[in-house]
Amino acid sequence: MEKLRAIFMGTPDFAVPCLEKLQACCDVRLVVTQPDKKRGRGQKVSFSPVKKCAMEHGLPVFQPTRVKEAEAVKTLREVEPDIIVVVAFGQILSQEVLDIPRLGCVNVHASLLPSYRGAAPIHWSIIHGEKKTGVTTMYMDAGLDTGDMIFKAETEITLEMTTQQLHDILMHDGALLLEKTVLAIAEGTAPREKQDDAKSSYSPLLHDADCRIDWTQSAQQIHDRVRGLNSWPGAYTLLAGEKYKIWQTRVFEGTAQPGQIVSIKEGIAVGTGQGLLEIVELQPPNKRRMKAKDFINGHKLQLPLSFS
């Protein structure tokens, strides 16, 4: 069977295994990714992980500021793709772009649709204490992750799993599911299932307010938020007006006022709306991440103290 002519659109490391799988099963004619950015103190130009991967494989790279602009659409049309695959690209596709490939545009989304449509499904699935999630491949339409579903792959979310750990699992599961999807489309055997909007939920971009710990929540809810924001952007709280990022916690029984520090021994035990939460790893202002025990040993903390 002749390989499908494909365009791949993606940007972060989550999309890299998908590009590698696509290149193995398709004729990838163009890789589209976000424009280069200047980063760090030296403002050095930084390539996206997808661009780095494309260059390693000798694939042509296209970096439009807006993929829906006329010149960008013209470039995509000239490729004459059979299929366009989109994985965490970072730009909205216009209907004009969606109509270019004869077999449609396919997306790999990091949730079990229709749950957790939107920009941050991995973070929010952990923040909300979900016990399972997965990846879904779908045909794209003009809506936000509302297209017809093709295949799904489930994975368990364990009690201590962080967003980074789940990201790495779904990143590889997504690549395998994409390969299965593209081969089925090429053979004309891919299923098509409409989403039930009544069962949908949304996972918006994260903002600062989502990262600040609310100590009136239960210890379990705060623990889930800490896991869900690890390794980016990080949950935080204030102590004496300064921001401390909280990276690892443990739930245990007990009662204290929300935010009140009740013990500073091996960890930092804090009262919540229900139960106690022990901070195991934290990051003081302008410092590296460290175990709470090391922080306690290096600082003369005296109770009473409270987080806010």
Side-chain angles (χ1 to χ4, degrees):
M1 181 186 299
E2 187 175 347
K3 289 184 175 181
L4 297 180
R5 294 163 58 97
I7 292 176
F8 182 84
M9 297 183 178
T11 300
D13 53 359
F14 184 87
V16 169
C18 285
L19 173 56
E20 292 176 333
K21 279 293 183 185
L22 189 68
Q23 199 217 0
C25 65
C26 288
D27 178 10
V28 179
R29 292 299 181 95
L30 187 66
V31 174
V32 186
T33 190
Q34 294 278 52
D36 301 334
K37 293 184 178 180
K38 292 182 179 180
R39 301 181 188 276
R41 292 181 181 178
Q43 288 292 283
K44 292 183 178 179
V45 174
S46 174
F47 296 165
S48 74
V50 163
K51 180 176 179 178
K52 291 177 183 177
C53 178
M55 293 171 66
E56 288 170 2
H57 290 282
L59 299 172
V61 176
F62 179 45
Q63 296 176 272
T65 302
R66 289 169 60 85
V67 74
K68 61 177 66 175
E69 289 181 348
E71 282 301 311
V73 174
K74 180 174 179 289
T75 298
L76 299 178
R77 278 208 182 101
E78 288 172 350
V79 177
E80 298 182 343
D82 298 310
I83 190 171
I84 293 178
V85 172
V86 183
V87 185
F89 174 44
Q91 294 188 38
I92 301 296
L93 273 58
S94 64
Q95 189 62 51
E96 195 174 16
V97 173
L98 294 173
D99 291 339
I100 290 174
R102 67 179 183 87
L103 296 175
C105 294
V106 172
N107 177 246
V108 178
H109 185 74
S111 80
L112 298 175
L113 291 171
S115 297
Y116 295 100
R117 296 169 175 170
I122 301 176
H123 294 82
W124 286 108
S125 63
I126 293 182
I127 290 171
H128 288 158
E130 300 288 358
K131 300 299 186 290
K132 70 174 183 178
T133 186
V135 286
T136 306
T137 52
M138 66 174 177
Y139 291 102
M140 297 177 69
D141 62 16
L144 181 62
D145 302 322
T146 56
D148 293 348
M149 299 177 293
I150 307 170
F151 292 123
K152 294 182 181 181
E154 289 188 6
T155 192
E156 178 187 6
I157 302 177
T158 60
L159 292 175
E160 301 302 321
M161 186 178 284
T162 66
T163 281
Q164 184 63 54
Q165 292 166 338
L166 181 56
H167 167 281
D168 293 348
I169 292 169
L170 298 183
M171 176 172 69
H172 294 288
D173 287 354
L176 294 174
L177 198 67
L178 174 62
E179 181 180 37
K180 176 183 176 181
T181 298
V182 170
L183 292 175
I185 290 173
E187 294 169 355
T189 59
R192 193 164 196 141
E193 179 186 355
K194 289 195 175 298
Q195 295 190 41
D196 185 348
D197 290 342
K199 296 180 180 179
S200 69
S201 58
Y202 182 59
S203 55
L205 285 169
L206 292 159
H207 298 286
D208 184 76
D210 300 313
C211 301
R212 184 169 181 176
I213 292 172
D214 176 1
W215 293 103
T216 65
Q217 290 188 319
S218 71
Q220 185 63 53
Q221 287 174 311
I222 298 170
H223 177 66
D224 292 340
R225 186 167 297 268
V226 170
R227 294 189 301 126
L229 298 172
N230 185 349
S231 63
W232 182 90
Y236 76 89
T237 188
L238 300 182
L239 180 63
E242 294 193 299
K243 182 185 288 188
Y244 286 75
K245 286 198 172 184
I246 310 300
W247 293 112
Q248 187 180 355
T249 55
R250 183 175 68 88
V251 176
F252 62 103
E253 294 181 358
T255 303
Q257 289 297 311
Q260 180 185 0
I261 299 174
V262 296
S263 174
I264 44 174
K265 295 178 181 179
E266 292 297 310
I268 302 172
V270 190
T272 73
Q274 182 181 343
L276 296 178
L277 190 74
E278 183 180 54
I279 297 172
V280 178
E281 185 181 19
L282 76 165
Q283 185 173 4
N286 303 312
K287 301 289 184 180
R288 60 176 177 82
R289 291 170 62 158
M290 63 180 69
K291 293 297 182 184
K293 182 179 179 181
D294 295 332
F295 174 75
I296 293 166
N297 291 338
H299 295 74
K300 294 180 180 180
L301 301 178
Q302 291 187 336
L303 302 181
L305 286 172
S306 293
F307 288 117
S308 61

